Amino acid sequence: MAIAPPDNGTPPDPAQPRTGFDRFFEISARGSTMSREVRGGLATFFTMAYIVVLNPLILGGAVDGDGKKLSIPALAAATALVAGLMTMLMGVVGRFPMALAAGLGVNALVAYEIAPEMTWADAMGLVVIEGVIIAVLVLTGLRTAVFRSVPTQLKTAIGVGIGLFLTIIGLVDAGFVRRIPDVANTTVPVGLGISGKIVSWPMLVFVVGLLVTLVLVVRRVRGAILIGILASTVLAIIVEAVANVGPSFVDGKPNPKGWSLNVPELPKQVVDVPDLSLLGNFNVLDSWSRAGWLVPLMFVFTLLITDFFDTMGTMVAIGQEGDMLDERGTPPRAKEILLVDSIAAAAGGAASVSSNTSYIESAAGVGEGARTGVANLVTGALFLLAMFLAPLSVVVPFEAASTALVVVGFLMMTAVRTIDWTDYEIAIPAFLTITFMPFTYSISNGIGAGIISYVVLKLAKGKARDIHPLLYGVAVLFVLYFLRGPIESVVL
């Protein structure tokens, strides 16, 4: 769903003569234009550029089994490099406007659960193994078959759930919604701002930026999301220059009124030489001898389930947002998309930056009109540039970029009308899918809840034949996924 019409007000005519570049990427055939693709690529980059800063902080803040840490500058350079290359590969091979970078959640699993049991090289070796396994599943057609076995309305629910997930990510990243401290007589887990009030400059920047973006969206202004991000960033830079707000942590102490992650200041140094010393620092065999076979096996299984279904949900949501799904809810070139995603998982491990996966923030670019892999070329090029211009990549604060996530969340939410809420056999699984994602902060949890409940309810109604055979296996895997804690406690 685009928030603005094409540049000339009408969709391009596919029958008109096109260049080879246009034909390859199907720009006109998908009703897009080069300017929309460029805008979309820029919007996607700005909404996910934070990973160049955040991924090094997560991985660089942990120690492995030998007490060693990874270099943060090297992590930043490798994060940008792999994200750029894999995003561009998705653009050329998948020809789908979905960018990739180090996966949040997966990187925390690697940093705080896997690495302490072995060396960093061993941990990254398990990520490589997981990526190779997923690639094999794609090449054998199993991953695509599983994707197509999910009912269409449940796929729609996945997209809606991700929209709500994006919204809460945006609200939390901007500090507009925060966890309420554990105090007596408090039963509400989250609340507005600080003590229920908007009392900081960064929150005000977010509110103003969101309102500006919404006005632009309602008025059908081309580039509304990107303009909103840039305008919010300019306002943030001015506010920081005048009020000297500072970061959310100062000398290790929390500053609730500070900027989340990035402080919007013009950097003193613009160009920096990237440190690529972590490339190739992985080992696929030693973890099995050091930690035993069961520990690596459980870790690989967890990584596999998370990557496998997160990407499926993200692909559906982005295709749904851009009206690019067929009657079965499948985007074009699905097999190629899934193959590149699996390659990215292995590439992330090989570069010591954790599994790279598809980013739902790409929906911001689709909201700007991106429909093809050309947007990925723009986003990927900016990531590669970020290796050398790392200081500039951290100028945009969360409070500015998060406005896009909230707006895109609304756009994705509109698909909820296509679900038949009178049919409880699909409505209940859809409801669980939609609610589990934002409330558990996990796409995989939502998909798992939806699939398990769908299978159980169909069986309870005596409609086993309505269930695709593959869904039984998927449901069992998700049961194991949810029970992995008790299983590990018993067998380890």
Side-chain angles (χ1 to χ4, degrees):
M1 178 187 300
I3 63 171
D7 295 346
N8 59 3
T10 57
D13 182 4
Q16 293 179 352
R18 299 169 296 170
T19 65
F21 186 84
D22 189 327
R23 286 193 296 272
F24 180 82
F25 286 102
E26 301 178 321
I27 301 173
S28 297
R30 297 189 188 181
S32 187
T33 64
M34 277 298 298
S35 60
R36 290 172 68 179
E37 296 299 316
V38 171
R39 284 202 309 268
L42 288 169
T44 294
F45 174 76
F46 281 122
T47 57
M48 59 184 289
Y50 66 85
I51 195 61
V52 178
V53 178
L54 186 55
N55 192 53
L57 292 179
I58 292 174
L59 293 175
V63 296
D64 66 7
D66 292 340
K68 295 181 179 179
K69 287 189 174 184
L70 297 176
S71 164
I72 289 182
L75 283 169
T79 297
L81 174 63
V82 178
L85 294 178
M86 293 300 103
T87 295
M88 296 179 82
L89 184 65
M90 178 66 78
V92 175
V93 177
R95 303 175 202 172
F96 193 66
M98 187 167 70
L100 302 97
L104 289 174
V106 175
N107 56 6
L109 174 67
V110 172
Y112 300 111
E113 293 188 39
I114 301 179
E117 299 289 335
M118 54 197 73
T119 67
W120 281 111
D122 297 338
M124 295 303 171
L126 293 182
V127 176
V128 173
I129 292 173
E130 175 252 341
V132 172
I133 292 174
I134 293 183
V136 172
L137 295 177
V138 173
L139 293 175
T140 57
L142 182 60
R143 195 178 189 189
T144 305
V146 169
F147 173 77
R148 289 175 175 167
S149 70
V150 178
T152 301
Q153 290 194 61
L154 200 53
K155 290 178 182 176
T156 300
I158 290 171
V160 174
I162 291 178
L164 290 179
F165 184 43
L166 267 183
T167 301
I168 195 169
I169 288 175
L171 295 174
V172 170
D173 285 350
F176 190 77
V177 170
R178 304 189 185 205
R179 178 179 177 274
I180 295 177
D182 294 325
V183 296
N185 302 320
T186 298
T187 58
V188 180
V190 294
L192 170 67
I194 301 174
S195 300
K197 301 176 183 178
I198 300 175
V199 294
S200 71
W201 284 109
M203 276 190 284
L204 183 61
V205 168
F206 168 74
V207 172
V208 172
L210 179 60
L211 291 175
V212 169
T213 306
L214 291 173
V215 169
L216 295 174
V217 168
V218 170
R219 293 182 64 86
R220 302 286 178 175
V221 175
R222 286 191 288 268
I225 293 177
L226 182 58
I227 292 172
I229 294 173
L230 296 177
S232 301
T233 300
V234 171
L235 176 60
I237 291 174
I238 295 173
V239 167
E240 176 61 23
V242 174
N244 192 28
V245 177
S248 56
F249 279 86
V250 179
D251 296 329
K253 298 180 179 180
N255 174 23
K257 297 182 180 180
W259 300 98
S260 300
L261 189 63
N262 294 339
V263 177
E265 297 175 320
L266 294 178
K268 298 178 181 179
Q269 181 181 359
V270 176
V271 180
D272 198 7
V273 178
D275 178 359
L276 301 178
S277 60
L278 290 177
L279 300 186
N281 185 28
F282 68 96
N283 191 312
V284 298
L285 298 177
D286 284 359
S287 60
W288 304 88
S289 59
R290 175 163 178 165
W293 65 272
L294 191 55
V295 171
L297 184 63
M298 291 300 296
F299 283 143
V300 169
F301 174 75
T302 303
L303 289 169
L304 187 67
I305 289 291
T306 302
D307 267 354
F308 192 107
F309 289 98
D310 271 13
T311 297
M312 187 182 80
T314 301
M315 186 170 68
V316 169
I318 291 173
Q320 184 174 291
E321 167 70 8
D323 195 22
M324 293 180 284
L325 304 180
D326 61 20
E327 65 280 358
R328 294 184 297 177
T330 304
R333 301 178 66 82
K335 184 174 182 178
E336 289 82 356
I337 293 171
L338 295 173
L339 179 61
V340 173
D341 182 82
S342 61
I343 293 173
S352 296
V353 295
S354 181
S355 174
N356 272 229
T357 188
S358 304
Y359 261 57
I360 189 55
E361 283 87 343
S362 306
V366 175
E368 279 295 344
R371 296 293 181 273
T372 77
V374 175
N376 278 40
L377 301 183
V378 176
T379 303
L382 290 172
F383 268 119
L384 295 180
L385 188 62
M387 288 196 304
F388 301 92
L389 303 176
L392 284 180
S393 68
V394 298
V395 171
V396 181
F398 270 166
E399 289 78 5
S402 293
T403 58
L405 302 184
V406 176
V407 173
V408 170
F410 156 72
L411 295 174
M412 296 172 68
M413 181 69 185
T414 59
V416 74
R417 67 186 184 279
T418 64
I419 298 174
D420 183 2
W421 295 102
T422 63
D423 180 2
Y424 284 8
E425 294 170 29
I426 190 66
I428 291 175
F431 168 75
L432 294 176
T433 298
I434 292 170
T435 54
F436 268 50
M437 287 188 191
F439 292 153
T440 67
Y441 232 64
S442 168
I443 294 175
S444 292
N445 289 348
I447 296 175
I451 290 178
I452 291 173
S453 60
Y454 176 80
V455 170
V456 169
L457 293 178
K458 284 292 185 181
L459 289 175
K461 290 282 289 185
K463 297 181 179 180
R465 293 184 179 180
D466 291 353
I467 305 172
H468 192 288
L470 283 175
L471 275 192
Y472 288 109
V474 173
V476 170
L477 286 176
F478 267 117
V479 169
L480 294 175
Y481 171 75
F482 285 125
L483 296 179
R484 66 190 185 278
I487 292 173
E488 289 175 1
S489 65
V490 171
V491 300
L492 294 185

